[in-house]
C-alpha cells in the first residue's frame, strides 16, 4: 500500500483537513496520515468547517511526525513553511510537494470571521487534494 503524509506545524487544522479530504478523494490504495512538528490538538474550527461538507474529522487527533512512517511514504505534502523547513530528512526517492497555506488558527476577530478564514483555507485544501487525486 502506498503512503502519503500531510505535515504542518501543529497538526491541528491544515494537515487535519487535508487528511480528511484525502481519505474521501484519494483511491483506496493510499494509506493517509497527517502529523506535525509539534502537537497543538485538533482545532474545533477545522472540525466545524469540514462538517459543513459532511466530512467528519472529529475522531482524528494531533500527532507528532512518526519517522518510521515518514521513511515509508511515497509522497509527503507540507502545508506550511515551518513544516517544510523542519521536516526530518527523507530519501530522495520520496516525492515532496509543498502547499504554502495561511494558518487559519491565527485568524482573529469574531467567531464568524474566524470561520470564514477556515472555510477559505479548507476550500483551497480541497481543490489541491482534488487536483492531487488526478495526478497520483
Amino acid at each position: 500500500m502506498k503512503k502519503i503524509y500531510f505535515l504542518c506545524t501543529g497538526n491541528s487544522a491544515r494537515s487535519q483537513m487535508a487528511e480528511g479530504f484525502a481519505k474521501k478523494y484519494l483511491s483506496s490504495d493510499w494509506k493517509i496520515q497527517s502529523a506535525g512538528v509539534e502537537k497543538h490538538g485538533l482545532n474545533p474550527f477545522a472540525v466545524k468547517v469540514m462538517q459543513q461538507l459532511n466530512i467528519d474529522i472529529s475522531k482524528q487527533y494531533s500527532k507528532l511526525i512518526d519517522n518510521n512512517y515518514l521513511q515509508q511514504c511515497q509522497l509527503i505534502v507540507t502545508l506550511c513553511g515551518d513544516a517544510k523547513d523542519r521536516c526530518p530528512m527523507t530519501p530522495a526517492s520520496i516525492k515532496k510537494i509543498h502547499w504554502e497555506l495561511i494558518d487559519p488558527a491565527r485568524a482573529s476577530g469574531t467567531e464568524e470571521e474566524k470561520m470564514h478564514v477556515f472555510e477559505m483555507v479548507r476550500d483551497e485544501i480541497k481543490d489541491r487534494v482534488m487536483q492531487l487525486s488526478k495526478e497520483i
Side-chain angles (χ1 to χ4, degrees):
M1 180 171 274
K2 298 180 285 187
K3 296 180 180 178
I4 186 171
Y5 222 169
F6 292 97
L7 305 176
C8 67
T9 304
N11 190 221
S12 67
R14 291 166 289 188
S15 54
Q16 294 285 354
M17 291 188 283
E19 178 181 345
F21 282 124
K23 285 179 175 174
K24 180 170 178 132
Y25 295 116
L26 296 188
S27 72
S28 60
D29 17 314
W30 284 95
K31 181 172 181 176
I32 299 150
Q33 289 194 29
S34 67
V37 293
E38 302 166 5
K39 286 194 309 188
H40 293 175
L42 181 60
N43 189 298
F45 284 101
V47 175
K48 286 180 189 176
V49 297
M50 292 299 283
Q51 192 60 52
Q52 291 172 342
L53 300 180
N54 296 314
I55 298 175
D56 183 8
I57 64 168
S58 65
K59 304 281 188 287
Q60 294 176 194
Y61 59 95
S62 186
K63 302 169 288 304
L64 292 175
I65 295 171
D66 176 341
N67 198 48
N68 290 329
Y69 183 83
L70 181 82
Q71 299 299 325
Q72 298 170 19
C73 286
Q74 283 68 44
L75 179 60
I76 296 169
V77 181
T78 51
L79 292 95
C80 68
D82 190 40
K84 181 182 177 194
D85 296 342
R86 293 172 61 191
C87 181
M89 293 299 294
T90 57
S93 60
I94 299 176
K95 182 176 180 178
K96 295 166 206 68
I97 298 174
H98 179 65
W99 298 343
E100 187 66 39
L101 300 166
I102 65 166
D103 184 355
R106 293 185 180 206
S108 58
T110 65
E111 183 166 323
E112 185 177 295
E113 291 167 329
K114 291 177 185 176
M115 282 291 286
H116 179 68
V117 173
F118 270 85
E119 289 164 348
M120 288 185 341
V121 173
R122 174 206 62 201
D123 293 345
E124 185 172 351
I125 293 169
K126 179 183 178 186
D127 291 345
R128 289 176 185 243
V129 170
M130 298 286 287
Q131 183 61 41
L132 183 65
S133 73
K134 297 172 187 171
E135 297 171 356
I136 58 174

